[in-house]
Amino acid sequence: MTLTVAALYHFTRFEDPGALRAPLLALCEAQGVRGTLLLAREGINGTIAGTRAGIDEVLAHVRALPGCAALEVKFSSADAMPFHRTKVRLKREIVTMGVLDVDPTDPGTYVDPADWNALIADPATLVIDTRNDYEVAVGTFADAVDPGTASFRDFPGWFREHRDALLAGRQRVAMFCTGGIRCEKATAFLKSEGVDDVFHLKGGILKYLEETPAEESRWLGECFVFDERVAVGHGLQAGTYGLCRGCRMPVSEEDRRSPLYQEGVACPRCHATRDAETKARAAERHRQVELAARRGEAHVGARYDG
């Protein structure tokens, strides 16, 4: 059965996000919807998957929350459930930047995917990928600046350190991320730093890959996603990357051919950092997962009564 995957976020003001958690979690579980939703005073963020009817029920509930009527959602599909559990978590921020005086409801200018190529092809435009280094390694836009950051929390410091060199001779800044939430907050941060001519890709990379024909695309590689699909390409079709169960990092086809790669245990990135005991535990866990799969059971994320 084909499942619907819904990626969503919305910046708004929740006076008491804690009061919203239990009803939302109960509805997701009742509808068989899995994934993770984050709630904070600044809004909601997450990706969920389930039947289309179940997803529609959850989205109707979210749109009825304070300030969320205009919620936009990016849909894709999956042949198997891409999440093991249902989680609704309370956070200080729905995307952690660590600069709490930034107003994410005052972002830069949205740019539709159809207009993005012309903007980033202009030499006067500085193009910045706001994602983490391992995501950029999977794919990015041609000529985009890679901050080399391990976490979005590192982005403000990186920009402040390199600001003068980055902006030299540039008339505007264009930023992008997976679904739009990080670059939306990043543009709000740049505006708070006095950079006025700031743009970001509406709907993020996922919307661009969904709407832009491959022959017209300036995207190189695949787009890392935070679920069991690992990466997607144009048309949001499943990509070629796998996921290392040791370090949770993406692994390419070349990585999987390495003698340092062991399915479910380690990859070339983390092989040297995991001791023999840790690898043995991981190997046994992977064996149990495979045995459960052969029996048609869900080993990871299984729930037991009693």
Side-chain angles (χ1 to χ4, degrees):
M1 179 176 64
T2 300
L3 298 174
T4 298
V5 181
L8 61 100
Y9 75 90
H10 192 72
F11 287 111
T12 185
R13 185 68 175 177
F14 291 147
E15 293 301 326
D16 185 9
L20 308 177
R21 179 183 179 275
L24 183 54
L25 177 60
L27 177 61
C28 287
E29 292 184 331
Q31 294 294 329
V33 170
R34 297 183 186 178
T36 298
L37 293 170
L38 306 179
L39 292 168
R41 293 181 68 88
E42 68 180 14
I44 186 169
N45 175 31
T47 304
I48 52 177
T51 65
R52 186 57 194 247
I55 292 294
D56 286 345
E57 287 287 335
V58 173
L59 294 180
H61 178 91
V62 172
R63 288 192 170 104
L65 298 178
C68 290
L71 173 78
E72 293 189 8
V73 182
K74 287 173 284 297
F75 294 104
S76 57
S77 62
D79 293 331
M81 173 56 73
F83 302 107
H84 298 306
R85 302 176 180 87
T86 306
K87 302 175 187 176
V88 180
R89 293 176 169 172
L90 298 177
K91 296 285 188 177
R92 292 185 67 187
E93 303 173 76
I94 58 172
V95 57
T96 303
M97 175 180 273
V99 183
L100 297 179
D101 58 349
V102 170
D103 179 8
T105 64
D106 183 30
T109 303
Y110 293 99
V111 179
D112 288 327
D115 301 319
W116 181 251
N117 285 356
L119 175 66
I120 66 174
D122 189 335
T125 303
L126 169 66
V127 185
I128 302 177
D129 192 330
T130 64
R131 300 172 304 149
N132 301 329
D133 50 7
Y134 62 88
E135 297 172 79
V136 179
V138 173
T140 190
F141 281 105
D143 301 322
V145 173
D146 173 14
T149 49
S151 166
F152 188 52
R153 184 183 288 273
D154 300 329
F155 182 83
W158 171 82
F159 178 78
R160 287 167 175 163
E161 180 181 355
H162 300 282
R163 172 184 177 134
D164 291 344
L166 288 168
L167 298 179
R170 306 285 188 166
Q171 296 178 6
R172 66 189 71 87
V173 179
M175 292 188 282
F176 63 92
C177 61
T178 307
I181 186 170
R182 282 177 284 183
C183 54
E184 187 162 338
K185 198 163 187 179
T187 58
F189 166 72
L190 258 66
K191 289 180 69 175
S192 73
E193 295 283 302
V195 182
D196 296 322
D197 212 4
V198 188
F199 300 81
H200 56 108
L201 177 58
K202 186 175 183 180
I205 301 161
L206 295 180
K207 194 67 172 175
Y208 180 90
L209 292 178
E210 179 184 7
E211 296 185 356
T212 306
E215 61 272 16
E216 299 175 11
S217 177
R218 290 181 60 86
W219 179 260
L220 304 175
E222 298 173 10
C223 178
F224 179 80
V225 290
F226 294 89
D227 59 50
E228 290 297 308
R229 295 173 298 171
V230 185
V232 297
H234 283 89
L236 302 184
Q237 296 299 308
T240 60
Y241 279 77
L243 193 70
C244 174
R245 302 298 170 179
C247 62
R248 307 297 297 177
M249 292 290 106
V251 286
S252 66
E253 292 176 317
E254 181 179 356
D255 290 331
R256 295 195 291 274
R257 290 193 293 268
S258 168
L260 300 181
Y261 178 74
Q262 185 176 353
E263 179 72 23
V265 179
C267 69
R269 180 193 292 258
C270 69
H271 184 274
T273 67
R274 313 195 84 205
D275 60 32
E277 182 179 352
T278 301
K279 290 176 182 175
R281 286 199 304 268
E284 175 58 23
R285 180 177 182 276
H286 182 63
R287 189 179 75 86
Q288 293 297 330
V289 169
E290 289 188 319
L291 288 173
R294 291 172 194 162
R295 296 191 298 266
E297 300 171 358
H299 175 75
V300 179
R303 300 180 65 169
Y304 302 93
D305 296 329

